[in-house]
Amino acid sequence: MGGFHIVVLVKPVPDPECYDRVEIDPAAGVLARQGMPSVLNPSDRHALEEALALQERYGGRVTLVSMTPESSAETLREALAMGGDEAVVLSDRAFAGSDSLATARVLAAGIAKVLPFDLVLAGNESADGGTVHVPSQVGELLGVAHLANVIRLEVDADGSVRARTRIENGYVEVEGELPMVLGLRREVNTPRYTSLMGVLASQEKPIRVLGAEELGVDRSRVGMEGSNMRPGKMSRPSFCRKGERVKGDPEEAAARIVGILRAEGVLG
Amino acid sequence: MTGGAKASGRGGAIWIVAEQAGGKLAPVSVEILGRALAMAREAGGREVAAVLLGKDAGGLADELASHGADKVFLADDPRMEPYRNDAHGAVLARLIARESPEVVLFGAGACGEELAPTVAARLDTGLGAHCTSLDLTDGGLLMMGVLGFGGRVHTEMFCPARRPQMASVKPGIFPPPPRADRKGTVVREDVAALLEGEKIRLRAVKVVREAPEGVPLEGAEVVVGGGFGIGGKEQWTLLEDLARELSGAVGCTRPALDEGWTPGEHTMIGTSGKTVRPKVYLGFGISGSPHHMVGVKDAGVIVSVNTDARAPVFESSDYCVVSDFRKFVPALIRGIRKAKGEGAGEPSPA
Ligand SMILES: Cc1cc2nc3c(=O)[nH]c(=O)nc-3n(C[C@H](O)[C@H](O)[C@H](O)COP(=O)(O)OP(=O)(O)OC[C@H]3O[C@@H](n4cnc5c(N)ncnc54)[C@H](O)[C@@H]3O)c2cc1C
Ligand SMILES: Nc1ncnc2c1ncn2[C@@H]1O[C@H](COP(=O)(O)O)[C@@H](O)[C@H]1O
């Protein structure tokens, strides 16, 4: 057969274009995100693209794995329309409130269910929480090599890996061997568009749902209870400033701003 | 004065993990050291220690000590350079397990951002990501302020039950502390012993550093920001002209970066980019998404120029100019030149 078994970690998130509308329910101290459509986390598209390109080159299998409420399984269908052979949704009330390490624990258990894997590809960060923790932590829990901030990836047929990771003002070339877990940044590729064929094909693709029982995870080690991090007060940061309108035509307005620059002592 | 901030019976040590490259400490390491020292002081005295991993890094260990670290754990070894998460993660996890600090802070640069969760997973402890504030409560808990949803939601996070309490902080969040000229102790670690039994699977075969194009955003007193409304690379030069006039730096929003109008990633401001704190931020053609504004919220004064009188950016600005930047920027440059000319002609105040 040949090719690799690639697991892509995908997360449905509230649409980042709507974050202006996130409200906090002050009584309950929780987020009210009604009316915010759920979309595939933007950087996960890049992870899926990379997996599909490797599959086109070498054959093999692509499995999408997501820890998400069953209600957002539709987003998984959308991801499957882009590509991939099947999806595994890890869903259980016991998973609610998981911090990044507890999430990684559930994901690692899910990946262990679709064994054997060669490569796990994730987005580098999720748009809502954006910890950039999950790829490294899944790697640690699975006991395999891992990298975050990947901006270029080459995998040879024999499983040797050459990855380029972003550092401040430059990059590092890292070598290693599969299996690996990698967090991919947007720069790594340009995700393909979903085709109509893809949408039709996705209807036939299996979506498996697994709960805590099937995964065999210890309930005290996942969800709120199994999370080392606890949220306290939530608030809406105010970026509000005085908002003074500067009147007049461009010359007049510019003169006013020059006055402000002088007052701030930045006119040199 | 040395020794004033030594651990008293009141609580465990606060550590920072220092990052270095090319013989220099990363600025963020000094920034978090400053915060650690301030927290130790506020808590009535705690030991502050730094961990430094590298090769021939003794000089930098002394530098950390002179900035105020009571103790510097130095893992100086060829295997500690260049950075790889497996080797660094192993050494750090073992050191932390041995010394049991109460708090460990990481800089969330590209390396720290990956190293921190690696170590947190190894130690099975909590980690606050990209914190925008850090405080010790009276009960000795680390209160970590984090922003989510593109900057729209602020949450206080705690790690009540596991130790150490860990947090990462992006560059530019905390101001660097003044140099203290203190003398801490440097503890040289046996790296071979710390790596014993560890599998090192990654090889860093090449490290490339490119001198970044343009004036760095960090430390600039004036930052000129451009967004998607600029509309093209040609018009972008207007912003560069303005920045030059003010000895400032040019930053951008994500769409402007994606369009390729700017020299690269290092110029992007916001949740997934840089945090800047200039005296004055001048934004042009920017709609004011929280993803961007969170990166300029600590600017002294914010001036925004937008053709749309109802652009959300105006809510988060001090001065709002409803205008086309193509008309406004040339007028502003003329105004600045005129003002500078006048300034030069004025008799200097005695
Ligand atoms: C996970 C994630 C992370 C993100 N991280 C970041 C980040 O770190 N930083 C960031 O910036 N963005 C980030 N974004 C993108 C962010 O959500 C917004 O899309 C982006 O900030 C909007 O950029 P903009 O204001 O330049 O463009 P637009 O929203 O398109 O606004 C353009 C503005 O220009 C004005 N305009 C047009 N013509 C003129 C003219 N001639 N003169 C003056 N004004 C004019 C328009 O009225 C409009 O208000 C992120 C998005 C996601 C999903
Ligand atoms: N609940 C989840 N289900 C599947 N993948 C996830 C989940 N949370 C995070 N990930 C993956 O980990 C990446 C980084 O997320 P984060 O660490 O939350 O910033 C995401 O882009 C996903 O690929």
PDB file of all heavy atoms in Angstrom, chain B residues 7 21-22 25 29 44 64 80-81 110 120 135 178 198 213 217 223 230 242 314 316 319 322 326 341:
ATOM      1  N   ALA B   7      14.854  34.440  49.593  1.00  0.00           N
ATOM      2  CA  ALA B   7      13.663  33.738  50.053  1.00  0.00           C
ATOM      3  C   ALA B   7      13.535  33.858  51.568  1.00  0.00           C
ATOM      4  O   ALA B   7      14.480  33.641  52.295  1.00  0.00           O
ATOM      5  CB  ALA B   7      13.781  32.268  49.673  1.00  0.00           C
ATOM      6  N   ALA B  21      20.430  34.134  22.163  1.00  0.00           N
ATOM      7  CA  ALA B  21      20.822  33.772  20.806  1.00  0.00           C
ATOM      8  C   ALA B  21      21.940  34.705  20.381  1.00  0.00           C
ATOM      9  O   ALA B  21      21.916  35.895  20.688  1.00  0.00           O
ATOM     10  CB  ALA B  21      19.638  33.901  19.861  1.00  0.00           C
ATOM     11  N   GLY B  22      22.905  34.132  19.697  1.00  0.00           N
ATOM     12  CA  GLY B  22      24.004  34.939  19.179  1.00  0.00           C
ATOM     13  C   GLY B  22      24.712  35.740  20.261  1.00  0.00           C
ATOM     14  O   GLY B  22      25.083  36.889  20.037  1.00  0.00           O
ATOM     15  N   LEU B  25      21.116  38.130  25.338  1.00  0.00           N
ATOM     16  CA  LEU B  25      19.864  37.730  25.978  1.00  0.00           C
ATOM     17  C   LEU B  25      18.704  38.269  25.152  1.00  0.00           C
ATOM     18  O   LEU B  25      18.764  39.391  24.652  1.00  0.00           O
ATOM     19  CB  LEU B  25      19.764  38.339  27.378  1.00  0.00           C
ATOM     20  CG  LEU B  25      20.686  37.754  28.448  1.00  0.00           C
ATOM     21  CD1 LEU B  25      20.545  38.570  29.728  1.00  0.00           C
ATOM     22  CD2 LEU B  25      20.330  36.290  28.696  1.00  0.00           C
ATOM     23  N   SER B  29      13.428  38.134  28.013  1.00  0.00           N
ATOM     24  CA  SER B  29      13.915  37.470  29.222  1.00  0.00           C
ATOM     25  C   SER B  29      14.163  38.487  30.324  1.00  0.00           C
ATOM     26  O   SER B  29      13.877  38.245  31.491  1.00  0.00           O
ATOM     27  CB  SER B  29      15.204  36.706  28.920  1.00  0.00           C
ATOM     28  OG  SER B  29      14.987  35.774  27.883  1.00  0.00           O
ATOM     29  N   GLY B  44       6.914  40.570  49.690  1.00  0.00           N
ATOM     30  CA  GLY B  44       7.694  40.670  50.914  1.00  0.00           C
ATOM     31  C   GLY B  44       8.983  39.870  50.874  1.00  0.00           C
ATOM     32  O   GLY B  44       9.528  39.503  51.915  1.00  0.00           O
ATOM     33  N   LEU B  64      22.497  38.238  33.779  1.00  0.00           N
ATOM     34  CA  LEU B  64      21.210  38.004  34.449  1.00  0.00           C
ATOM     35  C   LEU B  64      21.324  38.304  35.941  1.00  0.00           C
ATOM     36  O   LEU B  64      20.417  38.879  36.544  1.00  0.00           O
ATOM     37  CB  LEU B  64      20.753  36.558  34.237  1.00  0.00           C
ATOM     38  CG  LEU B  64      20.208  36.239  32.842  1.00  0.00           C
ATOM     39  CD1 LEU B  64      20.181  34.728  32.612  1.00  0.00           C
ATOM     40  CD2 LEU B  64      18.811  36.834  32.668  1.00  0.00           C
ATOM     41  N   MET B  80      23.305  22.151  24.405  1.00  0.00           N
ATOM     42  CA  MET B  80      22.292  23.150  24.713  1.00  0.00           C
ATOM     43  C   MET B  80      22.242  24.256  23.643  1.00  0.00           C
ATOM     44  O   MET B  80      21.598  25.279  23.816  1.00  0.00           O
ATOM     45  CB  MET B  80      22.559  23.783  26.087  1.00  0.00           C
ATOM     46  CG  MET B  80      22.403  22.807  27.242  1.00  0.00           C
ATOM     47  SD  MET B  80      20.681  22.384  27.588  1.00  0.00           S
ATOM     48  CE  MET B  80      20.509  20.834  26.705  1.00  0.00           C
ATOM     49  N   GLU B  81      22.967  24.063  22.563  1.00  0.00           N
ATOM     50  CA  GLU B  81      23.023  25.077  21.519  1.00  0.00           C
ATOM     51  C   GLU B  81      23.104  24.396  20.157  1.00  0.00           C
ATOM     52  O   GLU B  81      23.964  23.539  19.982  1.00  0.00           O
ATOM     53  CB  GLU B  81      24.260  25.958  21.749  1.00  0.00           C
ATOM     54  CG  GLU B  81      24.393  27.148  20.840  1.00  0.00           C
ATOM     55  CD  GLU B  81      23.498  28.316  21.244  1.00  0.00           C
ATOM     56  OE1 GLU B  81      23.536  28.698  22.425  1.00  0.00           O
ATOM     57  OE2 GLU B  81      22.758  28.798  20.380  1.00  0.00           O
ATOM     58  N   ALA B 110       9.362  32.674  19.776  1.00  0.00           N
ATOM     59  CA  ALA B 110       9.099  31.449  19.018  1.00  0.00           C
ATOM     60  C   ALA B 110       9.559  30.207  19.779  1.00  0.00           C
ATOM     61  O   ALA B 110       8.885  29.179  19.752  1.00  0.00           O
ATOM     62  CB  ALA B 110       9.769  31.536  17.657  1.00  0.00           C
ATOM     63  N   ALA B 120       5.491  22.005  30.669  1.00  0.00           N
ATOM     64  CA  ALA B 120       4.248  21.863  31.447  1.00  0.00           C
ATOM     65  C   ALA B 120       3.697  20.446  31.323  1.00  0.00           C
ATOM     66  O   ALA B 120       3.216  19.866  32.296  1.00  0.00           O
ATOM     67  CB  ALA B 120       3.210  22.886  30.991  1.00  0.00           C
ATOM     68  N   ASP B 135       0.341  38.668  38.585  1.00  0.00           N
ATOM     69  CA  ASP B 135       0.335  39.195  39.946  1.00  0.00           C
ATOM     70  C   ASP B 135       0.248  38.048  40.927  1.00  0.00           C
ATOM     71  O   ASP B 135      -0.380  37.038  40.639  1.00  0.00           O
ATOM     72  CB  ASP B 135      -0.882  40.110  40.151  1.00  0.00           C
ATOM     73  CG  ASP B 135      -0.800  41.363  39.307  1.00  0.00           C
ATOM     74  OD1 ASP B 135      -0.096  42.299  39.711  1.00  0.00           O
ATOM     75  OD2 ASP B 135      -1.413  41.380  38.212  1.00  0.00           O
ATOM     76  N   PRO B 178      15.289  48.550  35.448  1.00  0.00           N
ATOM     77  CA  PRO B 178      16.568  49.254  35.441  1.00  0.00           C
ATOM     78  C   PRO B 178      17.672  48.287  35.851  1.00  0.00           C
ATOM     79  O   PRO B 178      17.425  47.342  36.594  1.00  0.00           O
ATOM     80  CB  PRO B 178      16.364  50.335  36.507  1.00  0.00           C
ATOM     81  CG  PRO B 178      15.248  49.844  37.370  1.00  0.00           C
ATOM     82  CD  PRO B 178      14.387  48.994  36.505  1.00  0.00           C
ATOM     83  N   GLU B 198      17.564  10.432  28.546  1.00  0.00           N
ATOM     84  CA  GLU B 198      16.622  11.168  27.697  1.00  0.00           C
ATOM     85  C   GLU B 198      16.871  10.849  26.230  1.00  0.00           C
ATOM     86  O   GLU B 198      18.015  10.777  25.793  1.00  0.00           O
ATOM     87  CB  GLU B 198      16.787  12.685  27.906  1.00  0.00           C
ATOM     88  CG  GLU B 198      16.339  13.165  29.257  1.00  0.00           C
ATOM     89  CD  GLU B 198      14.821  13.120  29.412  1.00  0.00           C
ATOM     90  OE1 GLU B 198      14.109  13.045  28.385  1.00  0.00           O
ATOM     91  OE2 GLU B 198      14.362  13.153  30.565  1.00  0.00           O
ATOM     92  N   GLU B 213      14.299  43.948   7.937  1.00  0.00           N
ATOM     93  CA  GLU B 213      14.207  45.179   7.156  1.00  0.00           C
ATOM     94  C   GLU B 213      13.416  46.220   7.933  1.00  0.00           C
ATOM     95  O   GLU B 213      12.459  45.892   8.623  1.00  0.00           O
ATOM     96  CB  GLU B 213      13.424  44.873   5.879  1.00  0.00           C
ATOM     97  CG  GLU B 213      14.249  44.810   4.615  1.00  0.00           C
ATOM     98  CD  GLU B 213      13.336  44.540   3.441  1.00  0.00           C
ATOM     99  OE1 GLU B 213      12.754  45.504   2.915  1.00  0.00           O
ATOM    100  OE2 GLU B 213      13.188  43.361   3.078  1.00  0.00           O
ATOM    101  N   LEU B 217       9.977  47.888  15.478  1.00  0.00           N
ATOM    102  CA  LEU B 217       8.820  48.450  16.177  1.00  0.00           C
ATOM    103  C   LEU B 217       9.100  48.608  17.669  1.00  0.00           C
ATOM    104  O   LEU B 217       8.585  49.506  18.318  1.00  0.00           O
ATOM    105  CB  LEU B 217       7.616  47.519  16.005  1.00  0.00           C
ATOM    106  CG  LEU B 217       6.996  47.446  14.614  1.00  0.00           C
ATOM    107  CD1 LEU B 217       6.027  46.270  14.528  1.00  0.00           C
ATOM    108  CD2 LEU B 217       6.276  48.743  14.295  1.00  0.00           C
ATOM    109  N   VAL B 223       4.905  54.954  16.110  1.00  0.00           N
ATOM    110  CA  VAL B 223       4.645  53.854  15.191  1.00  0.00           C
ATOM    111  C   VAL B 223       3.540  54.279  14.238  1.00  0.00           C
ATOM    112  O   VAL B 223       2.501  54.791  14.649  1.00  0.00           O
ATOM    113  CB  VAL B 223       4.246  52.558  15.936  1.00  0.00           C
ATOM    114  CG1 VAL B 223       3.770  51.497  14.941  1.00  0.00           C
ATOM    115  CG2 VAL B 223       5.414  52.023  16.756  1.00  0.00           C
ATOM    116  N   ILE B 230      -4.956  50.860   2.792  1.00  0.00           N
ATOM    117  CA  ILE B 230      -3.871  51.527   2.060  1.00  0.00           C
ATOM    118  C   ILE B 230      -3.931  51.140   0.579  1.00  0.00           C
ATOM    119  O   ILE B 230      -3.624  51.940  -0.294  1.00  0.00           O
ATOM    120  CB  ILE B 230      -2.485  51.182   2.679  1.00  0.00           C
ATOM    121  CG1 ILE B 230      -2.434  51.647   4.142  1.00  0.00           C
ATOM    122  CG2 ILE B 230      -1.345  51.807   1.886  1.00  0.00           C
ATOM    123  CD1 ILE B 230      -2.758  53.114   4.375  1.00  0.00           C
ATOM    124  N   LEU B 242       6.268  59.118   6.008  1.00  0.00           N
ATOM    125  CA  LEU B 242       5.808  59.747   7.253  1.00  0.00           C
ATOM    126  C   LEU B 242       6.624  59.254   8.449  1.00  0.00           C
ATOM    127  O   LEU B 242       7.066  60.044   9.285  1.00  0.00           O
ATOM    128  CB  LEU B 242       4.316  59.443   7.469  1.00  0.00           C
ATOM    129  CG  LEU B 242       3.735  59.913   8.799  1.00  0.00           C
ATOM    130  CD1 LEU B 242       3.855  61.428   8.950  1.00  0.00           C
ATOM    131  CD2 LEU B 242       2.268  59.492   8.929  1.00  0.00           C
ATOM    132  N   PHE B 314     -12.363  54.154  15.517  1.00  0.00           N
ATOM    133  CA  PHE B 314     -12.471  55.466  16.156  1.00  0.00           C
ATOM    134  C   PHE B 314     -12.827  55.367  17.635  1.00  0.00           C
ATOM    135  O   PHE B 314     -12.435  56.212  18.428  1.00  0.00           O
ATOM    136  CB  PHE B 314     -13.482  56.343  15.402  1.00  0.00           C
ATOM    137  CG  PHE B 314     -12.966  56.835  14.067  1.00  0.00           C
ATOM    138  CD1 PHE B 314     -13.831  57.035  12.999  1.00  0.00           C
ATOM    139  CD2 PHE B 314     -11.622  57.109  13.887  1.00  0.00           C
ATOM    140  CE1 PHE B 314     -13.355  57.495  11.775  1.00  0.00           C
ATOM    141  CE2 PHE B 314     -11.139  57.570  12.670  1.00  0.00           C
ATOM    142  CZ  PHE B 314     -12.005  57.761  11.607  1.00  0.00           C
ATOM    143  N   SER B 316     -11.649  53.266  19.671  1.00  0.00           N
ATOM    144  CA  SER B 316     -10.449  52.973  20.455  1.00  0.00           C
ATOM    145  C   SER B 316      -9.310  53.932  20.124  1.00  0.00           C
ATOM    146  O   SER B 316      -8.146  53.587  20.272  1.00  0.00           O
ATOM    147  CB  SER B 316     -10.024  51.515  20.282  1.00  0.00           C
ATOM    148  OG  SER B 316     -10.514  50.967  19.100  1.00  0.00           O
ATOM    149  N   TYR B 319      -7.733  60.479  18.876  1.00  0.00           N
ATOM    150  CA  TYR B 319      -8.041  61.492  17.874  1.00  0.00           C
ATOM    151  C   TYR B 319      -8.464  60.802  16.588  1.00  0.00           C
ATOM    152  O   TYR B 319      -7.786  59.896  16.115  1.00  0.00           O
ATOM    153  CB  TYR B 319      -6.825  62.394  17.640  1.00  0.00           C
ATOM    154  CG  TYR B 319      -6.424  63.105  18.909  1.00  0.00           C
ATOM    155  CD1 TYR B 319      -5.389  62.608  19.706  1.00  0.00           C
ATOM    156  CD2 TYR B 319      -7.100  64.242  19.342  1.00  0.00           C
ATOM    157  CE1 TYR B 319      -5.041  63.233  20.889  1.00  0.00           C
ATOM    158  CE2 TYR B 319      -6.760  64.873  20.533  1.00  0.00           C
ATOM    159  CZ  TYR B 319      -5.730  64.360  21.302  1.00  0.00           C
ATOM    160  OH  TYR B 319      -5.401  64.973  22.472  1.00  0.00           O
ATOM    161  N   VAL B 322     -11.563  61.786   9.948  1.00  0.00           N
ATOM    162  CA  VAL B 322     -12.291  61.163   8.849  1.00  0.00           C
ATOM    163  C   VAL B 322     -11.727  61.756   7.572  1.00  0.00           C
ATOM    164  O   VAL B 322     -12.007  62.911   7.233  1.00  0.00           O
ATOM    165  CB  VAL B 322     -13.803  61.439   8.949  1.00  0.00           C
ATOM    166  CG1 VAL B 322     -14.541  60.755   7.792  1.00  0.00           C
ATOM    167  CG2 VAL B 322     -14.339  60.950  10.285  1.00  0.00           C
ATOM    168  N   ARG B 326      -4.610  59.319   1.561  1.00  0.00           N
ATOM    169  CA  ARG B 326      -3.801  59.804   0.435  1.00  0.00           C
ATOM    170  C   ARG B 326      -3.743  61.328   0.400  1.00  0.00           C
ATOM    171  O   ARG B 326      -2.821  61.923  -0.126  1.00  0.00           O
ATOM    172  CB  ARG B 326      -4.364  59.267  -0.887  1.00  0.00           C
ATOM    173  CG  ARG B 326      -4.039  57.786  -1.089  1.00  0.00           C
ATOM    174  CD  ARG B 326      -4.828  57.195  -2.226  1.00  0.00           C
ATOM    175  NE  ARG B 326      -6.272  57.196  -1.920  1.00  0.00           N
ATOM    176  CZ  ARG B 326      -7.191  56.606  -2.671  1.00  0.00           C
ATOM    177  NH1 ARG B 326      -6.849  56.008  -3.785  1.00  0.00           N
ATOM    178  NH2 ARG B 326      -8.454  56.639  -2.314  1.00  0.00           N
ATOM    179  N   GLY B 341      10.910  73.099  10.881  1.00  0.00           N
ATOM    180  CA  GLY B 341      11.615  74.275  10.375  1.00  0.00           C
ATOM    181  C   GLY B 341      11.497  75.429  11.351  1.00  0.00           C
ATOM    182  O   GLY B 341      12.490  76.054  11.730  1.00  0.00           O
TER     183      GLY B 341
END
